[in-house]
Amino acid sequence: MTTDTSQYLGRQGADWWRGAVIYQIYPRSFLDANGDGIGDLQGVIDKLDYIASLNVDAIWLSPFFTSPMKDFGYDVSDYRGVDPMFGTLADFDRLVEAAHARGLKVTIDQVLSHTSDQHPWFQESRASRDNPKADWYVWADPKPDGAPPTNWQAIFGGSAWQWDTRRCQYYLHNFLVEQPDLNFRHPAVVQAILGEVRFWLERGVDGFRLDAVNFCTHGELKDNPPREEIAEGFIGVRPDNPYGYQHHIHDKTQPENLVFLERLRALLDEYPGTTSVGEVGDDDSLGVMAEYTRGGERLHMAYSFDLLGERHDPEYLRGILTEMESRIEDGWPCWALGNHDVTRLASRWQAEDNAAALRLYMAFLLTQRGSICLYQGEELGQTEATLAFEQLVDPAGITFWPAYQGRDGCRTPMPWKADALHGGFSRATPWLPVPDDHLGLAVDQQDRDPDSLLNAYRAFLAFRRTQPALVKGEIRYHPVRDGVLCLERRHPSSDPGQRLLVALNFADAPRELPAPGAARALDDAPALVNGHWRDGTLTLPAYGIAIARCPTDSEEASWDV
């Protein structure tokens, strides 16, 4: 099936992705339409009107490809197939058509750095050392004593090398043993992977979220040096994981990866209006984000785990954002506060019973320069689910229990109806339970409450769409004062030119600050914007949000608070 994507470029043209809000769907947990306890593509189709009501621009579908599901779809055994638990290719085609009819772009996960060990490519590669695909994966001889070739660690624990008795060699796996790494130094591998990407472009997708995109190439087979201090935070690595004990110099983020990204970008450029966002996990993730998006020849945008950890004081957040701005030049960032790999935002940032704080975090995310990824359930304020060990299915949680309970707690099903069986997610027993305390957050409850977090998201996203400065404008940060993060967004080429002042109070007490006398509150701002600008003074309630407009030619450009 070939789709003419030109008709779907939308109101912002081919660069619709620049400043777009992308709603991440974890299909297993979104809606089960066929009653087997697992969400599916038809369930996504059934809820497209809900997604459109959020005023987002696109959806991102986490993996739905054919897979043994050792890592729940991130171990692909057929890049061109839909796993039967999710539906069929015909279901996917109907989803794309239905989404486009509602003005929603469709982006999908692509897991390029590794496959499942059940993929036919690997089955052939491991059969011998001299078959046509023998070098399609990263194979290496043992050290003289039989030990692995290097000290590289896998993110899910243990050595990144697995012995294979068929070839009497080790193969590289940066993640699970069942996820062997492809050899991107082999031209045929690159050509084959680009062919898999083209398959989905021909089916009409608008873009790709590229999983672990800096893992596609490895360096020399040398030991990584130890770190002076254990690092945590990138790719969800915790201090109890030995992966954080090393400087990852040789096992990922190699210069050769840039060549592949340029090949990938050239392919995407053949399909106007398509885009790419890369997931970056690295010791210097901000630097890699900048390098991977500068110049318009590699990725369109990239995101890291820097805002996905526990720390969220305004000084830290400002530091991350200003460093990114200083390094990215003409590149474009993408930001997220939650996804399927990290503890739910409401729990991670200690706002489980703090509706005002959740609104503040929403406003913080949606006023940054860059594109936005919004994980399903964040608009409901879903908290991290607490599961018993016997309920866990995530291999990371099972391996690192009890210090780390894995990613199942952020992947529990969406609650649609408070009074329905399993929250309306499924009529069968779900693959993960729906926590009782999530039922009060259900969509049907929040839908009818004008003051709910869900409706706050809808209102702010609708407002954001009308503000060119927030979507594509420049940004400038001011010093944090008494827990208040202050920034400016400018879009001088809009008609009329826009200059917006934003103040976000991360403190649990009111704040009063000096502000430019020319600042004027926005008449069209949603009700959650509750700060007051009056006579050169800004007054903010606890966790308050303020947005004002200033003339672009105002002499008070510094907003020296």
Side-chain angles (χ1 to χ4, degrees):
M1 173 184 174
T2 302
T3 300
D4 178 8
T5 59
S6 62
Q7 62 181 305
Y8 302 119
L9 295 186
R11 60 187 175 82
Q12 294 185 39
D15 70 342
W16 64 266
W17 53 270
R18 195 178 292 271
V21 178
I22 305 167
Y23 186 76
Q24 182 193 354
I25 298 171
Y26 195 70
R28 294 179 70 96
S29 298
F30 199 59
L31 181 68
D32 170 23
N34 66 2
D36 64 357
I38 298 172
D40 43 51
L41 296 181
Q42 182 59 53
V44 177
I45 295 171
D46 291 347
K47 292 299 182 182
L48 284 173
D49 285 338
Y50 167 79
I51 297 167
S53 80
L54 298 175
N55 299 307
V56 298
D57 302 292
I59 60 173
W60 148 26
L61 292 170
S62 291
F64 52 84
F65 313 108
T66 309
S67 167
M69 299 294 164
K70 296 294 184 179
D71 191 22
F72 299 97
Y74 285 93
D75 50 322
V76 178
S77 58
D78 180 0
Y79 281 107
R80 303 188 183 195
V82 173
D83 195 281
M85 72 171 58
F86 297 122
T88 65
L89 270 175
D91 292 329
F92 178 80
D93 292 338
R94 288 193 302 107
L95 191 160
V96 171
E97 183 178 7
H100 285 165
R102 291 161 173 80
L104 294 168
K105 306 296 190 293
V106 178
T107 65
I108 64 173
D109 247 305
Q110 285 286 277
V111 188
L112 305 183
S113 70
H114 57 263
T115 69
S116 165
D117 62 354
Q118 301 304 305
H119 196 292
W121 296 349
F122 187 71
Q123 294 291 303
E124 183 175 351
S125 183
R126 80 188 314 181
S128 68
R129 297 193 186 194
D130 58 2
N131 66 79
K133 291 185 173 60
D135 296 328
W136 276 40
Y137 292 80
V138 182
W139 294 94
D141 292 328
K143 290 181 177 179
D145 63 357
T150 69
N151 69 345
W152 300 351
Q153 294 286 303
I155 285 178
F156 289 131
S159 172
W161 296 97
Q162 177 66 24
W163 179 253
D164 188 89
T165 56
R166 298 162 184 81
R167 295 178 49 141
C168 290
Q169 285 183 306
Y170 286 93
Y171 67 82
L172 179 66
H173 63 92
N174 276 294
F175 295 88
L176 291 176
V177 169
E178 296 88 355
Q179 293 171 298
D181 279 65
L182 284 161
N183 178 17
F184 276 74
R185 295 176 180 272
H186 196 307
V189 170
V190 173
Q191 195 62 36
I193 283 294
L194 293 176
E196 305 304 287
V197 173
R198 187 183 292 276
F199 173 83
W200 293 104
L201 289 168
E202 287 292 315
R203 299 199 89 84
V205 302
D206 302 290
F208 302 93
R209 180 265 188 184
L210 303 170
D211 183 69
V213 71
N214 58 311
F215 283 76
C216 290
T217 56
H218 66 286
E220 295 184 75
L221 300 185
K222 295 181 178 180
D223 285 352
N224 284 330
R227 295 186 65 95
E228 294 74 18
E229 297 182 2
I230 297 172
E232 58 179 310
F234 55 95
I235 316 256
V237 171
R238 292 168 46 86
D240 48 42
N241 185 339
Y243 191 85
Y245 290 31
Q246 298 180 356
H247 284 290
H248 292 275
I249 295 174
H250 302 296
D251 52 345
K252 61 183 179 180
T253 321
Q254 300 301 302
E256 295 87 346
N257 205 36
L258 300 176
V259 178
F260 167 68
L261 296 181
E262 289 166 3
R263 292 279 305 276
L264 177 64
R265 179 59 178 266
L267 171 60
L268 292 171
D269 286 347
E270 294 179 28
Y271 297 81
T274 59
T275 193
S276 57
V277 54
E279 176 199 46
V280 170
D282 191 74
D283 296 2
D284 179 22
S285 56
L286 298 181
V288 177
M289 281 176 65
E291 184 177 41
Y292 279 19
T293 63
R294 281 195 300 251
E297 297 178 345
R298 297 164 186 167
L299 299 179
H300 296 79
M301 47 189 166
Y303 80 90
S304 71
F305 282 70
D306 291 274
L307 299 184
L308 295 171
E310 295 182 0
R311 189 171 176 187
H312 61 285
D313 58 274
E315 291 84 1
Y316 169 78
L317 298 175
R318 181 183 182 276
I320 293 294
L321 296 163
T322 54
E323 181 181 351
M324 184 76 268
E325 285 299 310
S326 70
R327 302 176 71 175
I328 201 166
E329 298 175 6
D330 64 346
W332 191 256
C334 185
W335 300 110
L337 299 184
N339 68 23
H340 62 292
D341 282 330
V342 299
T343 301
R344 283 281 185 182
L345 173 66
S347 300
R348 193 175 74 251
W349 283 13
Q350 302 167 2
E352 291 189 348
D353 298 309
N354 193 334
L358 288 176
R359 285 167 170 76
L360 173 75
Y361 302 152
M362 173 194 67
F364 162 74
L365 178 64
L366 296 176
T367 54
Q368 300 309 311
R369 189 183 83 92
S371 301
I372 305 297
C373 286
L374 174 63
Y375 181 42
Q376 68 180 51
E378 299 298 300
E379 76 276 18
L380 305 179
Q382 275 188 247
T383 56
E384 184 78 357
T386 301
L387 304 176
F389 178 77
E390 55 270 18
Q391 293 176 306
L392 298 184
V393 294
D394 178 25
I398 294 170
T399 298
F400 291 105
W401 176 276
Y404 175 51
Q405 298 182 18
R407 300 165 295 177
D408 294 321
C410 69
R411 298 177 175 182
T412 55
M414 279 278 285
W416 295 100
K417 298 179 180 179
D419 296 330
L421 181 67
H422 307 306
F425 165 73
S426 175
R427 58 183 181 271
T429 301
W431 74 286
L432 284 175
V434 179
D436 289 342
D437 58 357
H438 284 191
L439 297 178
L441 303 172
V443 171
D444 69 335
Q445 299 295 300
Q446 296 201 39
D447 205 30
R448 65 175 68 108
D449 178 3
D451 296 323
S452 68
L453 182 64
L454 170 60
N455 283 318
Y457 266 91
R458 286 170 169 158
F460 200 91
L461 285 165
F463 162 73
R464 184 180 181 274
R465 279 183 166 178
T466 67
Q467 308 298 317
L470 293 182
V471 176
K472 295 184 178 180
E474 303 164 355
I475 197 165
R476 180 185 180 191
Y477 295 94
H478 294 269
V480 174
R481 175 70 63 84
D482 293 335
V484 179
L485 176 63
C486 302
L487 57 96
E488 292 183 44
R489 299 299 307 274
R490 287 174 175 261
H491 196 286
S493 59
S494 61
D495 186 20
Q498 267 201 337
R499 176 184 172 215
L500 299 182
L501 310 181
V502 180
L504 305 166
N505 183 13
F506 282 75
D508 59 1
R511 292 289 187 260
E512 188 173 282
L513 302 172
R520 295 291 180 267
L522 300 179
D523 294 334
D524 53 349
L528 63 95
V529 178
N530 53 12
H532 298 286
W533 309 81
R534 188 174 294 111
D535 300 327
T537 299
L538 168 60
T539 304
L540 285 160
Y543 303 108
I545 303 159
I547 303 178
R549 181 174 285 112
C550 262
T552 53
D553 59 353
S554 170
E555 295 298 322
E556 302 174 83
S558 65
W559 195 16
D560 185 10
V561 297

